[in-house]
Amino acid sequence: MTIADTISEETPRAGSLYLDSFKPRLMDWTAARVFAAKNLRIAMRYPANFIIWGVMPLLWLAPYMLMMTALGGPGTSTSFTEISGFDNFVKFAIIGWFVFQYVEASIWSVGNSFRHEQFSGTLEPLFVTPVPRISILIGAALSDTVQTSISAIVLLTTASFLFGVSYALTAIAPIIVLLLMMILALYGFGFMVAGMILVFKDPSVLTQFVGTALFTVSPVNYPLQALPIQARYVAYLVPSTIAIIIIRELAITGVFEIGQFLSAAAGLGTTILFFWLVGIASFRYAERWTKNRGSMGGF
Amino acid sequence: MTLTVNAVEIENLTKTFISIRRRAIVIPVEKKRVEALKGISLDIPHGKVFGLLGPNGAGKTTLVKCLATLVLPTSGTARINGYDILQESTHARASMGVCQGNERSIYWKLSARENMIFFAKLYRMPHNEAKERADELLGRMELLEKADEKAEKLSHGMRMKIVFARALIHDPPVLLFDEPTQGLDPTFATDLRKYIREKLSDKTILLTTHYMHEADLLCDKIALINEGEIKSFDTPKALKKAVRDYDSLHIRVEGKPDIETIKKMDSVMSAAISSKDGHAEIVATSHDGYELAHRLLNHLHELPGVRVEHFEVKEPTLDDVFLQLTGRRIED
C-alpha cells in the first residue's frame, strides 16, 4: 500500500470565479503594464535616479564635445565635412548620443530589472504567478524606455541649448517610427541578456565587454566612414547603426526620402524578427536551465 | 466536465541535482550528484492541512519548489487542483498561493498595500477589487494601519505577514507554506498559526516546518521526511502513538560525550547529540527512561571533562518519532 492509496479521498476540483474563467494567455498586456508601472514607481523612490536621468548623460557627452571643439574649432572641420557630409560635428554628435541612450538602455534594461528582482528576492514570487514570462520581460523593457526617454529628452534639450544647435522637426514622424523599431529590435537582444542574468547571475564582465564594443562600433560620435573597413561591416550587423545614421540625417536635414526610409524600416523589421526569436528562445532555454538546477532565486 | 481529483497529487517525484566542478571554466573535473527527492508519492485531499516535517536539507523546500513550478523534477509528476505542474503549469500556478519564509520576497520600496495590489493585478484582478482584497487581507493581518508605510519601514514580523497575505491574494484553493513562521518572534508566529487554523479551514495546505509543535498543532496528517524520502506519515496522534511506550530522556551537559558509546548502552532505542559552545544536549529514547537516566547519569559522571547540567524525562514528541525512524533529530 502506498502513501497515496492510504490518504486519497477524491473530491471535485476546487473552483472560483477567477479559476473558472482562467485561460492561459500568450501575452498579458495588463501584467506588462502593471510590471512597468511598479518598476517606475520604485525608480522614482530612489532620489539619485533624478541625477542619472537629468545630469549624467550630459556629463558623459560634454568631454567629447569639448575635445571635438578643441581639435576642429567651434562647430566644424573641413576633414569632418568631407568624410561625413555634415558641416557641424556638435549637431552630429548630440543626436547620435540621443539615439544611443535608447540603444544602451534597451539592451540592459530587461537584464538589469531581472538582476534587481534577484537581489530583492522577488523573482521567485513573480515566477509563481500565472503571468507569461514575455509579459514580465516587456514590462521591464517598457519601464526602462520611459526612464530613458526622460533622460534622452533632457539630454537633447540641454545639450542643444548649451552648444547652441537645433534640429529640423519636419521629419519627426519617421524619426519616431525608426526609433521605436530600433528599440523593439534591441528588446529582443535584451531578452537574451535577461536569460544570461538568470543563468550567470552577474555576467558583468561579458556585458561590460558587449556594451563597450557596441559603443565603439556605433557611429555615435564619429561618421561611420571613419571606421576601418572591416570594422564597418561589424557596425552594420548592429541594429542600431542603421537607425542612428538615418535618424541623424532626418533630424539634421529634415529631408524625408521614402526609399531610404523604407529600406531602413525593412532592415529594422528583419532585425526585430531575428532578435525576438533568438531572445525569447534564449530566455526560455535559460529559464529551463535554471529550473533544472534549482537556482532561480539565487544571486 | 468537473474532474474528480485530490487537491494535490504527487506521483513518484524525484529530483537529482548535478553540480559539475570545472577547471579553466570548461574542463569538468568532478561531478557531484545530490538526490534531493527520491520518489515521493502522496495525495492531499481538499481542505486538509498536510505537514512535511524534517530537518534542514531533508528535501522539504525542493518538494515545495517543484510543486510551485520553480524547480523541474527529474522524473515523476504532480498535479495541483488537477492541473499537471509540467503540462498545465499556468493553470497550476493560478490554483495555488506560495509563501516562502523570506521577508525579502516583497518590494521594500513599495508600501504594504502597493505590494498586495501589484500581485493581485498579476492574478488579473481589476484595480478596485485588488485594493479591496488587499485591505481585507491586511486588516485580517492587523496591518491596515501600516498599509501605506513602505515595507522597508516595517518590522520583520510585519513584512512576513505581508508575504503570508500575498499568498492568499487570489483566494487560491491550494496553499504551499514553506517554513512560514521561521525566524518570527513567538507572538507573530502564534498569530499566524491561529490564522491558519481558524481562517483557512477550507483550503488545502502543504506546510513544511521543522517546528514539531507547529506541525502537531496545525496538521491533519504529517509526513516525516529525511534525505529526500518520506519515512513515515500519519496523523500526529498516530505517529506519537508509535512511540507511546517509550520515554524520551533529555540531558544537557558541559563537554561532549561520545554518542556512539551511549547508543550501545542496554535499553537505548535511539540517541542523538547536538553541541554548541562547549555544551551538548543528548536525547535518548528507551522503554524505561528513568532506569536509563540512572545508568546514563552514572556513565556521564565518570567521563572526564563532562558535567551534567540538567536532565529530564519527557513524554514522546514528534521529534522522538523522527529520531526513532532516522537516528536524527528534526532540529539538527
Side-chain angles (χ1 to χ4, degrees):
Chain A
M1 188 169 59
T2 67
I3 295 170
D5 293 336
T6 315
I7 64 170
S8 177
E9 294 166 25
E10 293 198 341
T11 48
R13 174 186 278 164
S16 67
L17 207 60
Y18 165 67
L19 283 175
D20 293 344
S21 62
F22 185 85
K23 293 231 172 1
R25 293 173 183 163
L26 280 177
M27 170 68 200
D28 185 341
W29 285 106
T30 308
R33 187 177 51 76
V34 166
F35 191 80
K38 181 270 295 175
N39 275 7
L40 285 171
R41 183 170 281 142
I42 290 175
M44 282 192 286
R45 288 183 183 170
Y46 286 96
N49 277 341
F50 290 95
I51 299 172
I52 291 173
W53 295 334
V55 183
M56 288 293 280
L58 197 63
L59 295 180
W60 292 323
L61 166 70
Y64 289 96
M65 293 287 103
L66 297 171
M67 189 62 185
M68 282 174 172
T69 312
L71 286 172
T76 191
S77 125
T78 321
S79 164
F80 172 79
T81 306
E82 275 172 18
I83 295 177
S84 69
F86 294 101
D87 60 0
N88 187 326
F89 59 64
V90 174
K91 208 171 180 177
F92 177 93
I94 289 173
I95 192 71
W97 274 86
F98 171 79
V99 179
F100 195 74
Q101 294 287 296
Y102 287 96
V103 176
E104 203 164 32
S106 307
I107 288 173
W108 308 131
S109 59
V110 188
N112 283 340
S113 175
F114 270 67
R115 188 82 189 119
H116 179 79
E117 301 287 345
Q118 271 176 347
F119 268 125
S120 53
T122 44
L123 191 65
E124 286 193 343
L126 273 179
F127 274 41
V128 297
T129 63
V131 172
R133 304 298 181 246
I134 186 74
S135 304
I136 297 176
L137 291 167
I138 289 175
L142 287 177
S143 70
D144 218 75
T145 300
V146 173
Q147 293 175 56
T148 306
S149 293
I150 299 171
S151 159
I153 290 166
V154 169
L155 170 80
L156 188 64
T157 315
T158 321
S160 301
F161 175 73
L162 286 177
F163 295 100
V165 295
S166 59
Y167 294 95
L169 291 174
T170 46
I172 191 80
I175 288 177
I176 291 172
V177 170
L178 290 180
L179 195 61
L180 287 177
M181 290 185 83
M182 180 198 76
I183 291 168
L184 272 179
L186 292 169
Y187 278 179
F189 193 84
F191 300 161
M192 205 161 60
V193 174
M196 280 164 57
I197 299 271
L198 283 186
V199 172
F200 299 112
K201 312 300 178 196
D202 184 14
S204 54
V205 177
L206 195 60
T207 54
Q208 278 296 326
F209 172 75
V210 174
T212 310
L214 195 66
F215 182 71
T216 307
V217 297
S218 292
V220 178
N221 289 308
Y222 57 81
L224 195 67
Q225 293 80 349
L227 270 181
I229 189 82
Q230 297 86 348
R232 229 178 285 172
Y233 291 123
V234 177
Y236 273 117
L237 293 176
V238 180
S240 54
T241 301
I242 190 83
I244 291 174
I245 291 171
I246 306 295
I247 289 172
R248 174 182 279 144
E249 203 159 317
L250 288 167
I252 293 177
T253 64
V255 178
F256 174 66
E257 283 177 32
I258 186 76
Q260 187 191 41
F261 172 78
L262 287 178
S263 70
L268 285 170
T270 313
T271 320
I272 291 172
L273 202 66
F274 174 75
F275 274 111
W276 274 60
L277 287 176
V278 172
I280 291 172
S282 307
F283 184 83
R284 282 194 177 159
Y285 177 80
E287 188 189 350
R288 197 169 175 81
W289 192 96
T290 316
K291 281 183 172 180
N292 258 324
R293 280 151 186 82
S295 61
M296 178 72 73
F299 52 87
Chain B
M1 191 183 75
T2 309
L3 300 172
T4 54
V5 289
N6 287 292
V8 178
E9 298 174 329
I10 305 173
E11 271 178 45
N12 205 21
L13 205 72
T14 70
K15 180 66 198 173
T16 304
F17 291 109
I18 300 170
S19 60
I20 302 170
R21 197 165 63 83
R22 295 174 193 276
R23 195 171 57 227
I25 305 178
V26 286
I27 307 159
V29 288
E30 190 186 344
K31 204 174 189 181
K32 195 177 160 195
R33 293 168 64 90
V34 177
E35 288 184 78
L37 299 175
K38 300 172 186 169
I40 303 274
S41 292
L42 61 89
D43 290 351
I44 309 176
H46 289 279
K48 301 287 181 189
V49 182
F50 193 94
L52 272 178
L53 193 60
N56 290 330
K60 305 186 297 289
T61 298
T62 304
L63 180 58
V64 168
K65 285 194 172 183
C66 281
L67 296 178
T69 73
L70 292 169
V71 168
L72 286 174
T74 306
S75 66
T77 190
R79 280 175 292 279
I80 301 283
N81 199 27
Y83 298 113
D84 190 292
I85 58 165
L86 298 174
Q87 307 301 324
E88 301 165 291
S89 59
T90 312
H91 265 115
R93 283 197 288 268
S95 298
M96 67 177 141
V98 183
C99 168
Q100 292 180 285
N102 174 13
E103 59 161 348
R104 290 206 60 81
S105 68
I106 52 170
Y107 297 100
W108 284 31
K109 282 283 173 191
L110 297 185
S111 70
R113 184 180 279 124
E114 285 168 340
N115 264 291
M116 296 290 285
I117 292 175
F118 168 69
F119 279 98
K121 286 180 176 177
L122 295 186
Y123 287 97
R124 303 182 189 175
M125 230 178 261
H127 182 80
N128 287 343
E129 197 184 317
K131 190 174 173 300
E132 265 176 39
R133 179 71 177 152
D135 283 358
E136 180 197 337
L137 287 168
L138 291 172
R140 284 200 218 163
M141 295 290 143
E142 293 169 5
L143 279 177
L144 210 46
E145 280 182 19
K146 303 272 184 188
D148 290 321
E149 289 209 20
K150 283 184 202 162
E152 65 186 357
K153 290 187 179 157
L154 302 177
S155 69
H156 168 71
M158 289 173 179
R159 284 194 287 262
M160 275 307 299
K161 280 188 171 181
I162 301 173
V163 173
F164 183 81
R166 181 184 60 197
L168 310 173
I169 194 78
H170 57 301
D171 196 22
V174 176
L175 292 162
L176 307 179
F177 292 152
D178 188 14
E179 309 270 5
T181 58
Q182 191 174 33
L184 282 187
D185 72 48
T187 317
F188 275 123
T190 306
D191 284 354
L192 281 191
R193 286 180 197 124
K194 194 174 165 208
Y195 188 86
I196 293 172
R197 208 176 49 204
E198 292 175 3
K199 307 284 184 192
L200 301 177
S201 54
D202 59 332
K203 305 289 179 196
T204 307
I205 300 173
L206 178 65
L207 171 87
T208 79
T209 181
H210 61 259
Y211 299 135
M212 291 153 292
H213 62 287
E214 187 168 283
D216 207 353
L217 183 77
L218 298 174
C219 300
D220 297 306
K221 295 217 173 176
I222 292 172
L224 301 177
I225 183 169
N226 190 41
E227 294 175 349
E229 284 178 299
I230 291 181
K231 298 292 182 185
S232 182
F233 75 98
D234 216 323
T235 62
K237 197 175 167 187
L239 284 169
K240 281 187 283 187
K241 195 176 165 190
V243 289
R244 193 176 50 188
D245 294 339
Y246 309 132
D247 289 325
S248 175
L249 177 59
H250 295 241
I251 305 176
R252 195 172 66 239
V253 297
E254 190 181 286
K256 191 182 178 191
D258 178 26
I259 192 67
E260 294 307 318
T261 312
I262 295 171
K263 280 181 180 172
K264 285 174 191 156
M265 290 175 78
D266 283 348
S267 82
V268 172
M269 310 292 298
S270 61
I273 189 167
S274 56
S275 47
K276 193 180 175 187
D277 301 331
H279 297 264
E281 186 170 353
I282 303 160
V283 179
T285 53
S286 166
H287 284 296
D288 186 343
Y290 291 95
E291 186 273 334
L292 176 62
H294 179 72
R295 284 187 295 115
L296 193 47
L297 290 171
N298 279 337
H299 167 73
L300 294 170
H301 183 68
E302 286 167 10
L303 293 177
V306 174
R307 189 173 66 84
V308 175
E309 294 174 326
H310 179 82
F311 91 94
E312 199 176 349
V313 179
K314 291 182 179 176
E315 289 286 305
T317 64
L318 288 171
D319 194 27
D320 299 313
V321 181
F322 198 83
L323 180 63
Q324 191 76 34
L325 289 165
T326 67
R328 212 178 150 190
R329 293 187 67 196
I330 289 169
E331 291 180 0
D332 278 355

